[in-house]
mmCIF file of all heavy atoms in Angstrom:
data_model
loop_
_atom_site.group_PDB
_atom_site.id
_atom_site.type_symbol
_atom_site.label_atom_id
_atom_site.label_comp_id
_atom_site.label_asym_id
_atom_site.label_seq_id
_atom_site.Cartn_x
_atom_site.Cartn_y
_atom_site.Cartn_z
ATOM 1 N N THR B 751 10.765 6.450 7.309
ATOM 2 C CA THR B 751 11.942 7.292 7.076
ATOM 3 C C THR B 751 11.965 7.846 5.660
ATOM 4 O O THR B 751 12.274 9.030 5.439
ATOM 5 C CB THR B 751 13.230 6.483 7.333
ATOM 6 O OG1 THR B 751 13.238 6.002 8.679
ATOM 7 C CG2 THR B 751 14.462 7.342 7.094
ATOM 8 N N SER B 752 11.638 7.002 4.693
ATOM 9 C CA SER B 752 11.684 7.413 3.291
ATOM 10 C C SER B 752 10.572 8.390 2.938
ATOM 11 O O SER B 752 10.736 9.231 2.047
ATOM 12 C CB SER B 752 11.601 6.178 2.390
ATOM 13 O OG SER B 752 12.678 5.298 2.632
ATOM 14 N N TYR B 753 9.444 8.237 3.623
ATOM 15 C CA TYR B 753 8.295 9.123 3.353
ATOM 16 C C TYR B 753 7.831 9.712 4.680
ATOM 17 O O TYR B 753 6.765 9.392 5.195
ATOM 18 C CB TYR B 753 7.166 8.344 2.674
ATOM 19 C CG TYR B 753 7.565 7.741 1.348
ATOM 20 C CD1 TYR B 753 7.990 6.417 1.259
ATOM 21 C CD2 TYR B 753 7.531 8.495 0.181
ATOM 22 C CE1 TYR B 753 8.367 5.854 0.045
ATOM 23 C CE2 TYR B 753 7.907 7.955 -1.042
ATOM 24 C CZ TYR B 753 8.326 6.629 -1.101
ATOM 25 O OH TYR B 753 8.708 6.080 -2.315
ATOM 26 N N ALA B 754 8.669 10.581 5.222
ATOM 27 C CA ALA B 754 8.408 11.140 6.548
ATOM 28 C C ALA B 754 7.281 12.162 6.545
ATOM 29 O O ALA B 754 6.602 12.361 7.561
ATOM 30 C CB ALA B 754 9.683 11.778 7.099
ATOM 31 N N SER B 755 7.048 12.786 5.413
ATOM 32 C CA SER B 755 6.015 13.819 5.348
ATOM 33 C C SER B 755 4.633 13.188 5.419
ATOM 34 O O SER B 755 4.395 12.107 4.878
ATOM 35 C CB SER B 755 6.146 14.614 4.047
ATOM 36 O OG SER B 755 5.044 15.485 3.884
ATOM 37 N N SER B 756 3.715 13.856 6.100
ATOM 38 C CA SER B 756 2.337 13.378 6.197
ATOM 39 C C SER B 756 1.489 13.859 5.024
ATOM 40 O O SER B 756 0.300 13.581 4.950
ATOM 41 C CB SER B 756 1.699 13.844 7.515
ATOM 42 O OG SER B 756 1.682 15.272 7.578
ATOM 43 N N GLY B 757 2.135 14.566 4.108
ATOM 44 C CA GLY B 757 1.413 15.081 2.947
ATOM 45 C C GLY B 757 0.973 13.966 2.019
ATOM 46 O O GLY B 757 1.571 12.890 1.961
ATOM 47 N N GLY B 758 -0.091 14.217 1.265
ATOM 48 C CA GLY B 758 -0.630 13.208 0.373
ATOM 49 C C GLY B 758 0.041 13.205 -0.988
ATOM 50 O O GLY B 758 0.789 14.111 -1.344
ATOM 51 N N GLY B 759 -0.220 12.155 -1.742
ATOM 52 C CA GLY B 759 0.336 12.020 -3.076
ATOM 53 C C GLY B 759 -0.013 10.663 -3.649
ATOM 54 O O GLY B 759 -0.767 9.896 -3.054
ATOM 55 N N ARG B 760 0.556 10.358 -4.804
ATOM 56 C CA ARG B 760 0.330 9.043 -5.383
ATOM 57 C C ARG B 760 1.266 8.049 -4.686
ATOM 58 O O ARG B 760 2.482 8.245 -4.676
ATOM 59 C CB ARG B 760 0.605 9.057 -6.886
ATOM 60 C CG ARG B 760 0.220 7.733 -7.559
ATOM 61 C CD ARG B 760 0.201 7.839 -9.062
ATOM 62 N NE ARG B 760 1.543 7.907 -9.621
ATOM 63 C CZ ARG B 760 1.812 7.783 -10.924
ATOM 64 N NH1 ARG B 760 0.825 7.612 -11.792
ATOM 65 N NH2 ARG B 760 3.052 7.865 -11.358
ATOM 66 N N PRO B 761 0.731 6.966 -4.114
ATOM 67 C CA PRO B 761 1.562 6.009 -3.379
ATOM 68 C C PRO B 761 2.695 5.437 -4.221
ATOM 69 O O PRO B 761 2.524 5.167 -5.410
ATOM 70 C CB PRO B 761 0.561 4.922 -2.979
ATOM 71 C CG PRO B 761 -0.754 5.639 -2.901
ATOM 72 C CD PRO B 761 -0.697 6.631 -4.020
ATOM 73 N N GLU B 762 3.832 5.252 -3.565
ATOM 74 C CA GLU B 762 5.015 4.696 -4.225
ATOM 75 C C GLU B 762 5.600 3.507 -3.464
ATOM 76 O O GLU B 762 6.349 2.720 -4.036
ATOM 77 C CB GLU B 762 6.092 5.779 -4.368
ATOM 78 C CG GLU B 762 5.663 6.961 -5.225
ATOM 79 C CD GLU B 762 6.734 8.045 -5.268
ATOM 80 O OE1 GLU B 762 7.757 7.888 -4.558
ATOM 81 O OE2 GLU B 762 6.555 9.032 -5.995
ATOM 82 N N GLY B 763 5.318 3.405 -2.170
ATOM 83 C CA GLY B 763 5.887 2.344 -1.352
ATOM 84 C C GLY B 763 4.862 1.761 -0.411
ATOM 85 O O GLY B 763 3.828 2.370 -0.122
ATOM 86 N N PHE B 764 5.167 0.556 0.081
ATOM 87 C CA PHE B 764 4.250 -0.090 1.022
ATOM 88 C C PHE B 764 5.033 -0.925 2.022
ATOM 89 O O PHE B 764 6.193 -1.278 1.811
ATOM 90 C CB PHE B 764 3.245 -0.979 0.288
ATOM 91 C CG PHE B 764 3.833 -2.285 -0.216
ATOM 92 C CD1 PHE B 764 3.721 -3.459 0.523
ATOM 93 C CD2 PHE B 764 4.507 -2.340 -1.435
ATOM 94 C CE1 PHE B 764 4.257 -4.653 0.057
ATOM 95 C CE2 PHE B 764 5.048 -3.527 -1.904
ATOM 96 C CZ PHE B 764 4.931 -4.697 -1.156
ATOM 97 N N SER B 765 4.371 -1.260 3.125
ATOM 98 C CA SER B 765 4.921 -2.177 4.113
ATOM 99 C C SER B 765 3.757 -2.968 4.713
ATOM 100 O O SER B 765 2.590 -2.639 4.500
ATOM 101 C CB SER B 765 5.677 -1.424 5.216
ATOM 102 O OG SER B 765 6.391 -2.331 6.029
ATOM 103 N N ILE B 766 4.097 -4.021 5.443
ATOM 104 C CA ILE B 766 3.076 -4.847 6.075
ATOM 105 C C ILE B 766 3.111 -4.605 7.571
ATOM 106 O O ILE B 766 4.165 -4.744 8.212
ATOM 107 C CB ILE B 766 3.310 -6.352 5.786
ATOM 108 C CG1 ILE B 766 3.398 -6.607 4.289
ATOM 109 C CG2 ILE B 766 2.209 -7.184 6.427
ATOM 110 C CD1 ILE B 766 2.148 -6.257 3.517
ATOM 111 N N VAL B 767 1.977 -4.254 8.127
ATOM 112 C CA VAL B 767 1.847 -4.017 9.567
ATOM 113 C C VAL B 767 0.670 -4.846 10.073
ATOM 114 O O VAL B 767 -0.493 -4.476 9.860
ATOM 115 C CB VAL B 767 1.631 -2.520 9.885
ATOM 116 C CG1 VAL B 767 1.524 -2.320 11.392
ATOM 117 C CG2 VAL B 767 2.748 -1.672 9.303
ATOM 118 N N GLY B 768 0.976 -5.963 10.706
ATOM 119 C CA GLY B 768 -0.100 -6.842 11.175
ATOM 120 C C GLY B 768 -0.940 -7.360 10.023
ATOM 121 O O GLY B 768 -0.428 -7.944 9.064
ATOM 122 N N LYS B 769 -2.233 -7.117 10.081
ATOM 123 C CA LYS B 769 -3.149 -7.577 9.051
ATOM 124 C C LYS B 769 -3.446 -6.501 8.008
ATOM 125 O O LYS B 769 -4.371 -6.635 7.210
ATOM 126 C CB LYS B 769 -4.469 -8.042 9.687
ATOM 127 C CG LYS B 769 -4.323 -9.242 10.608
ATOM 128 C CD LYS B 769 -5.666 -9.651 11.195
ATOM 129 C CE LYS B 769 -5.509 -10.859 12.117
ATOM 130 N NZ LYS B 769 -6.821 -11.271 12.695
ATOM 131 N N GLU B 770 -2.638 -5.436 8.029
ATOM 132 C CA GLU B 770 -2.877 -4.321 7.120
ATOM 133 C C GLU B 770 -1.637 -4.004 6.292
ATOM 134 O O GLU B 770 -0.514 -4.342 6.662
ATOM 135 C CB GLU B 770 -3.305 -3.080 7.903
ATOM 136 C CG GLU B 770 -4.625 -3.228 8.634
ATOM 137 C CD GLU B 770 -4.983 -1.971 9.391
ATOM 138 O OE1 GLU B 770 -4.152 -1.535 10.222
ATOM 139 O OE2 GLU B 770 -6.076 -1.424 9.172
ATOM 140 N N MET B 771 -1.878 -3.339 5.178
ATOM 141 C CA MET B 771 -0.800 -2.811 4.353
ATOM 142 C C MET B 771 -0.752 -1.300 4.577
ATOM 143 O O MET B 771 -1.779 -0.621 4.525
ATOM 144 C CB MET B 771 -1.044 -3.119 2.877
ATOM 145 C CG MET B 771 0.039 -2.594 1.949
ATOM 146 S SD MET B 771 -0.228 -3.118 0.224
ATOM 147 C CE MET B 771 0.158 -4.869 0.375
ATOM 148 N N LYS B 772 0.465 -0.816 4.846
ATOM 149 C CA LYS B 772 0.667 0.619 5.041
ATOM 150 C C LYS B 772 1.249 1.193 3.773
ATOM 151 O O LYS B 772 2.194 0.634 3.206
ATOM 152 C CB LYS B 772 1.610 0.861 6.218
ATOM 153 C CG LYS B 772 1.811 2.335 6.567
ATOM 154 C CD LYS B 772 2.681 2.466 7.808
ATOM 155 C CE LYS B 772 2.875 3.913 8.212
ATOM 156 N NZ LYS B 772 3.681 4.041 9.448
ATOM 157 N N ILE B 773 0.697 2.324 3.316
ATOM 158 C CA ILE B 773 1.050 2.886 2.018
ATOM 159 C C ILE B 773 1.537 4.325 2.195
ATOM 160 O O ILE B 773 0.959 5.103 2.949
ATOM 161 C CB ILE B 773 -0.177 2.871 1.074
ATOM 162 C CG1 ILE B 773 -0.759 1.458 1.004
ATOM 163 C CG2 ILE B 773 0.195 3.356 -0.316
ATOM 164 C CD1 ILE B 773 -2.175 1.430 0.534
ATOM 165 N N ARG B 774 2.601 4.650 1.491
ATOM 166 C CA ARG B 774 3.126 6.009 1.491
ATOM 167 C C ARG B 774 3.545 6.404 0.077
ATOM 168 O O ARG B 774 4.006 5.535 -0.673
ATOM 169 C CB ARG B 774 4.334 6.121 2.426
ATOM 170 C CG ARG B 774 4.001 6.054 3.913
ATOM 171 C CD ARG B 774 3.332 7.341 4.387
ATOM 172 N NE ARG B 774 2.988 7.268 5.798
ATOM 173 C CZ ARG B 774 3.803 7.638 6.792
ATOM 174 N NH1 ARG B 774 5.004 8.115 6.515
ATOM 175 N NH2 ARG B 774 3.411 7.565 8.043
ATOM 176 N N PRO B 775 3.451 7.673 -0.299
ATOM 177 C CA PRO B 775 2.762 8.731 0.412
ATOM 178 C C PRO B 775 1.296 8.376 0.690
ATOM 179 O O PRO B 775 0.723 7.523 0.016
ATOM 180 C CB PRO B 775 2.858 9.931 -0.550
ATOM 181 C CG PRO B 775 4.031 9.626 -1.424
ATOM 182 C CD PRO B 775 4.007 8.137 -1.588
ATOM 183 N N VAL B 776 0.725 9.038 1.659
ATOM 184 C CA VAL B 776 -0.689 8.813 1.973
ATOM 185 C C VAL B 776 -1.515 9.129 0.726
ATOM 186 O O VAL B 776 -1.322 10.193 0.101
ATOM 187 C CB VAL B 776 -1.134 9.717 3.144
ATOM 188 C CG1 VAL B 776 -2.611 9.517 3.436
ATOM 189 C CG2 VAL B 776 -0.287 9.442 4.379
ATOM 190 N N PRO B 777 -2.398 8.233 0.309
ATOM 191 C CA PRO B 777 -3.156 8.457 -0.934
ATOM 192 C C PRO B 777 -3.892 9.797 -0.934
ATOM 193 O O PRO B 777 -4.514 10.182 0.061
ATOM 194 C CB PRO B 777 -4.155 7.291 -0.948
ATOM 195 C CG PRO B 777 -3.515 6.230 -0.124
ATOM 196 C CD PRO B 777 -2.770 6.957 0.955
ATOM 197 N N ASP B 778 -3.784 10.481 -2.056
ATOM 198 C CA ASP B 778 -4.499 11.756 -2.194
ATOM 199 C C ASP B 778 -5.706 11.614 -3.116
ATOM 200 O O ASP B 778 -6.328 12.611 -3.497
ATOM 201 C CB ASP B 778 -3.556 12.840 -2.733
ATOM 202 C CG ASP B 778 -3.038 12.513 -4.129
ATOM 203 O OD1 ASP B 778 -3.291 11.390 -4.624
ATOM 204 O OD2 ASP B 778 -2.372 13.385 -4.723
ATOM 205 N N ASP B 779 -6.018 10.378 -3.480
ATOM 206 C CA ASP B 779 -7.150 10.132 -4.371
ATOM 207 C C ASP B 779 -7.613 8.686 -4.173
ATOM 208 O O ASP B 779 -6.953 7.890 -3.504
ATOM 209 C CB ASP B 779 -6.731 10.366 -5.830
ATOM 210 C CG ASP B 779 -7.919 10.644 -6.743
ATOM 211 O OD1 ASP B 779 -9.069 10.475 -6.281
ATOM 212 O OD2 ASP B 779 -7.697 11.017 -7.904
ATOM 213 N N ALA B 780 -8.729 8.355 -4.782
ATOM 214 C CA ALA B 780 -9.288 7.003 -4.666
ATOM 215 C C ALA B 780 -8.677 6.100 -5.740
ATOM 216 O O ALA B 780 -9.358 5.660 -6.674
ATOM 217 C CB ALA B 780 -10.808 7.045 -4.771
ATOM 218 N N TYR B 781 -7.383 5.795 -5.592
ATOM 219 C CA TYR B 781 -6.693 4.943 -6.557
ATOM 220 C C TYR B 781 -7.171 3.493 -6.454
ATOM 221 O O TYR B 781 -7.541 3.029 -5.376
ATOM 222 C CB TYR B 781 -5.185 4.974 -6.306
ATOM 223 C CG TYR B 781 -4.543 6.321 -6.441
ATOM 224 C CD1 TYR B 781 -4.254 7.090 -5.312
ATOM 225 C CD2 TYR B 781 -4.199 6.833 -7.687
ATOM 226 C CE1 TYR B 781 -3.648 8.336 -5.433
ATOM 227 C CE2 TYR B 781 -3.591 8.069 -7.820
ATOM 228 C CZ TYR B 781 -3.320 8.828 -6.684
ATOM 229 O OH TYR B 781 -2.721 10.056 -6.808
ATOM 230 N N THR B 782 -7.132 2.790 -7.578
ATOM 231 C CA THR B 782 -7.405 1.359 -7.574
ATOM 232 C C THR B 782 -6.084 0.619 -7.442
ATOM 233 O O THR B 782 -5.197 0.770 -8.281
ATOM 234 C CB THR B 782 -8.126 0.911 -8.864
ATOM 235 O OG1 THR B 782 -9.377 1.580 -8.955
ATOM 236 C CG2 THR B 782 -8.357 -0.597 -8.854
ATOM 237 N N MET B 783 -5.950 -0.149 -6.375
ATOM 238 C CA MET B 783 -4.719 -0.886 -6.108
ATOM 239 C C MET B 783 -4.949 -2.371 -6.332
ATOM 240 O O MET B 783 -6.014 -2.907 -6.014
ATOM 241 C CB MET B 783 -4.249 -0.660 -4.675
ATOM 242 C CG MET B 783 -2.881 -1.253 -4.387
ATOM 243 S SD MET B 783 -2.272 -0.818 -2.726
ATOM 244 C CE MET B 783 -3.294 -1.903 -1.729
ATOM 245 N N GLU B 784 -3.942 -3.023 -6.903
ATOM 246 C CA GLU B 784 -4.022 -4.464 -7.150
ATOM 247 C C GLU B 784 -2.867 -5.155 -6.438
ATOM 248 O O GLU B 784 -1.720 -4.725 -6.537
ATOM 249 C CB GLU B 784 -3.961 -4.757 -8.650
ATOM 250 C CG GLU B 784 -4.030 -6.240 -8.986
ATOM 251 C CD GLU B 784 -4.047 -6.493 -10.481
ATOM 252 O OE1 GLU B 784 -4.687 -5.683 -11.213
ATOM 253 O OE2 GLU B 784 -3.420 -7.462 -10.941
ATOM 254 N N ILE B 785 -3.185 -6.222 -5.708
ATOM 255 C CA ILE B 785 -2.182 -7.012 -5.007
ATOM 256 C C ILE B 785 -2.132 -8.395 -5.648
ATOM 257 O O ILE B 785 -3.154 -9.073 -5.770
ATOM 258 C CB ILE B 785 -2.520 -7.167 -3.513
ATOM 259 C CG1 ILE B 785 -2.681 -5.808 -2.847
ATOM 260 C CG2 ILE B 785 -1.435 -7.978 -2.800
ATOM 261 C CD1 ILE B 785 -3.172 -5.893 -1.409
ATOM 262 N N VAL B 786 -0.952 -8.793 -6.085
ATOM 263 C CA VAL B 786 -0.733 -10.162 -6.566
ATOM 264 C C VAL B 786 -0.022 -10.890 -5.431
ATOM 265 O O VAL B 786 1.021 -10.433 -4.955
ATOM 266 C CB VAL B 786 0.132 -10.187 -7.842
ATOM 267 C CG1 VAL B 786 0.357 -11.633 -8.302
ATOM 268 C CG2 VAL B 786 -0.537 -9.370 -8.946
ATOM 269 N N TYR B 787 -0.597 -11.995 -4.984
ATOM 270 C CA TYR B 787 -0.056 -12.641 -3.791
ATOM 271 C C TYR B 787 -0.225 -14.155 -3.827
ATOM 272 O O TYR B 787 -0.950 -14.699 -4.667
ATOM 273 C CB TYR B 787 -0.738 -12.082 -2.541
ATOM 274 C CG TYR B 787 -2.204 -12.465 -2.382
ATOM 275 C CD1 TYR B 787 -2.582 -13.517 -1.540
ATOM 276 C CD2 TYR B 787 -3.207 -11.772 -3.055
ATOM 277 C CE1 TYR B 787 -3.916 -13.870 -1.386
ATOM 278 C CE2 TYR B 787 -4.542 -12.110 -2.899
ATOM 279 C CZ TYR B 787 -4.899 -13.157 -2.069
ATOM 280 O OH TYR B 787 -6.223 -13.502 -1.917
ATOM 281 N N ILE B 788 0.485 -14.813 -2.915
ATOM 282 C CA ILE B 788 0.335 -16.244 -2.707
ATOM 283 C C ILE B 788 -0.613 -16.426 -1.533
ATOM 284 O O ILE B 788 -0.375 -15.900 -0.441
ATOM 285 C CB ILE B 788 1.682 -16.927 -2.401
ATOM 286 C CG1 ILE B 788 2.612 -16.826 -3.606
ATOM 287 C CG2 ILE B 788 1.470 -18.398 -2.031
ATOM 288 C CD1 ILE B 788 2.134 -17.585 -4.829
ATOM 289 N N GLY B 789 -1.683 -17.165 -1.762
ATOM 290 C CA GLY B 789 -2.670 -17.407 -0.717
ATOM 291 C C GLY B 789 -2.737 -18.883 -0.352
ATOM 292 O O GLY B 789 -1.903 -19.687 -0.758
ATOM 293 N N SER B 790 -3.750 -19.216 0.401
ATOM 294 C CA SER B 790 -3.930 -20.602 0.830
ATOM 295 C C SER B 790 -4.498 -21.447 -0.300
ATOM 296 O O SER B 790 -5.134 -20.938 -1.231
ATOM 297 C CB SER B 790 -4.888 -20.655 2.029
ATOM 298 O OG SER B 790 -4.386 -19.921 3.115
ATOM 299 N N LEU B 791 -4.278 -22.750 -0.205
ATOM 300 C CA LEU B 791 -4.895 -23.676 -1.147
ATOM 301 C C LEU B 791 -6.389 -23.769 -0.891
ATOM 302 O O LEU B 791 -6.842 -23.664 0.253
ATOM 303 C CB LEU B 791 -4.293 -25.078 -0.978
ATOM 304 C CG LEU B 791 -2.919 -25.350 -1.581
ATOM 305 C CD1 LEU B 791 -2.396 -26.679 -1.071
ATOM 306 C CD2 LEU B 791 -3.000 -25.362 -3.100
ATOM 307 N N GLU B 792 -7.145 -23.977 -1.950
ATOM 308 C CA GLU B 792 -8.569 -24.239 -1.799
ATOM 309 C C GLU B 792 -8.746 -25.592 -1.133
ATOM 310 O O GLU B 792 -8.060 -26.561 -1.464
ATOM 311 C CB GLU B 792 -9.249 -24.248 -3.175
ATOM 312 C CG GLU B 792 -10.735 -24.548 -3.127
ATOM 313 C CD GLU B 792 -11.337 -24.692 -4.509
ATOM 314 O OE1 GLU B 792 -10.565 -24.855 -5.478
ATOM 315 O OE2 GLU B 792 -12.577 -24.665 -4.628
#
């Protein structure tokens, strides 16, 4: 709803869909993204 346009741009928002992250606006370049997260214990 917030990013209804299919046009590209620099991403500003994300959501989680299954095993993937969905990003909007759709990336218009090969940006380097960093995720800080809580994972499993070794």
